[in-house]
Amino acid sequence: MDVLRTWAFRLFFYSISVVMVLLVPIVALFGGRALRAHSNLWAWLMQWSVGAIMGARLRVEGTIPSGQLLFAGKHESYYEALELTRMLDSPATVMKRELAKIPIWGWAAQRYGTIVVDRAANASALRALMRDAKTALASGRSVLIFPEGTRVLPGEAPPLRSGFAGLYRALDLPVVPVAVKSGHVWPRKGLMHKGDIVFRFGEPIPPGLPRREVEARVHAAINALNAQ
């Protein structure tokens, strides 16, 4: 059954995704709000298809606080990359530069207001990250980052990338850790599976903490579902 469900999902979702991306230049003519609504529709279609075709359910634990915040999430699959943007009211998401080079999609993501970061983490890249994040903040949006830098396998807990600490210090916002359990349903490779996807929102961590302390607290909180 996993084979049939996986291919049915891929046929539906990736076909829809091509259409949604190709429509972006038209939607962009109507401004940023239209782009964010378009992105939310794409995320909703993804969530619906994962549930209806794969039989997976999303369970949300904890409370999503209000106001402008820095969200730091675990990243195991494409699911949270889309669903968190919808759930968190269209935050500016930090995205690695390689994705911005994908034809049309990369342009669309930048029009949406995604923050592009060079993973080389040199001084120039970090300054650009801070500048773009502050611009997003000035527009009234929160910021979402996956501080481990890339998708990881369930159970893996690599250290946080250096850009997170700089972003935390520059924005001076509470950071909300988001533990995610999704890789067992939508793995990086191979077949998808039926199961529960879990998002767990931790307690906000105040701004102004020393780098080692905030990194340790965020790292522990976003990996809280690893053993479950």
Side-chain angles (χ1 to χ4, degrees), residues 169-225:
R169 183 175 61 254
L171 296 182
D172 195 33
L173 290 173
V175 56
V176 179
V178 187
V180 172
K181 186 178 181 181
S182 63
H184 63 296
V185 170
W186 193 342
R188 293 181 66 173
K189 297 179 181 180
L191 300 177
M192 298 174 69
H193 307 283
K194 184 177 181 179
D196 283 357
I197 293 172
V198 183
F199 290 174
R200 178 182 294 171
F201 290 86
E203 292 295 322
I205 298 170
L209 297 178
R211 174 174 178 171
R212 288 188 179 181
E213 181 179 351
V214 71
E215 285 186 337
R217 290 177 64 173
V218 168
H219 189 263
I222 69 174
N223 286 290
L225 295 173

Side-chain angles (χ1 to χ4, degrees), residues 42-60:
W42 184 28
W44 182 86
L45 288 167
M46 179 275 301
Q47 186 198 55
W48 177 86
S49 58
V50 169
I53 300 173
M54 293 306 308
R57 284 187 315 174
L58 172 62
R59 187 172 78 247
V60 179

Side-chain angles (χ1 to χ4, degrees), residues 48-79:
W48 177 86
S49 58
V50 169
I53 300 173
M54 293 306 308
R57 284 187 315 174
L58 172 62
R59 187 172 78 247
V60 179
E61 301 177 353
T63 302
I64 305 174
S66 59
Q68 282 186 289
L69 298 157
L70 173 60
F71 291 92
K74 188 73 178 177
H75 193 13
E76 291 187 353
S77 74
Y78 285 123
Y79 188 94

Side-chain angles (χ1 to χ4, degrees), residues 8-228:
F9 169 79
R10 288 173 177 170
L11 179 62
F12 174 83
F13 177 66
Y14 291 116
S15 297
I16 286 293
S17 296
V18 169
V19 174
M20 296 296 288
V21 170
L22 291 177
L23 284 174
V24 164
I26 297 173
V27 176
L29 297 174
F30 298 92
R33 287 187 179 181
L35 275 174
R36 289 192 283 276
H38 188 72
S39 175
N40 288 342
L41 174 60
W42 184 28
W44 182 86
L45 288 167
M46 179 275 301
Q47 186 198 55
W48 177 86
S49 58
V50 169
I53 300 173
M54 293 306 308
R57 284 187 315 174
L58 172 62
R59 187 172 78 247
V60 179
E61 301 177 353
T63 302
I64 305 174
S66 59
Q68 282 186 289
L69 298 157
L70 173 60
F71 291 92
K74 188 73 178 177
H75 193 13
E76 291 187 353
S77 74
Y78 285 123
Y79 188 94
E80 58 272 6
L82 288 176
E83 179 57 20
L84 282 176
T85 61
R86 188 186 71 86
M87 186 177 292
L88 301 178
D89 193 25
S90 303
T93 303
V94 178
M95 178 181 75
K96 58 187 179 183
R97 184 167 298 280
E98 293 90 330
L99 296 178
K101 296 178 180 179
I102 298 174
I104 302 179
W105 190 90
W107 175 85
Q110 291 180 78
R111 290 284 296 178
Y112 166 82
T114 297
I115 300 169
V116 177
V117 62
D118 189 334
R119 291 196 296 177
N122 55 40
S124 176
L126 291 175
R127 283 196 298 270
L129 170 63
M130 307 311 157
R131 182 190 64 242
D132 293 344
K134 287 181 178 180
T135 298
L137 200 65
S139 71
R141 302 170 74 182
S142 291
V143 175
L144 169 64
I145 186 172
F146 297 105
E148 291 173 339
T150 189
R151 284 180 296 160
V152 299
L153 297 174
E156 289 185 342
L160 306 190
R161 295 294 184 103
S162 59
F164 166 74
L167 194 60
Y168 168 78
R169 183 175 61 254
L171 296 182
D172 195 33
L173 290 173
V175 56
V176 179
V178 187
V180 172
K181 186 178 181 181
S182 63
H184 63 296
V185 170
W186 193 342
R188 293 181 66 173
K189 297 179 181 180
L191 300 177
M192 298 174 69
H193 307 283
K194 184 177 181 179
D196 283 357
I197 293 172
V198 183
F199 290 174
R200 178 182 294 171
F201 290 86
E203 292 295 322
I205 298 170
L209 297 178
R211 174 174 178 171
R212 288 188 179 181
E213 181 179 351
V214 71
E215 285 186 337
R217 290 177 64 173
V218 168
H219 189 263
I222 69 174
N223 286 290
L225 295 173
N226 273 1
Q228 298 182 20

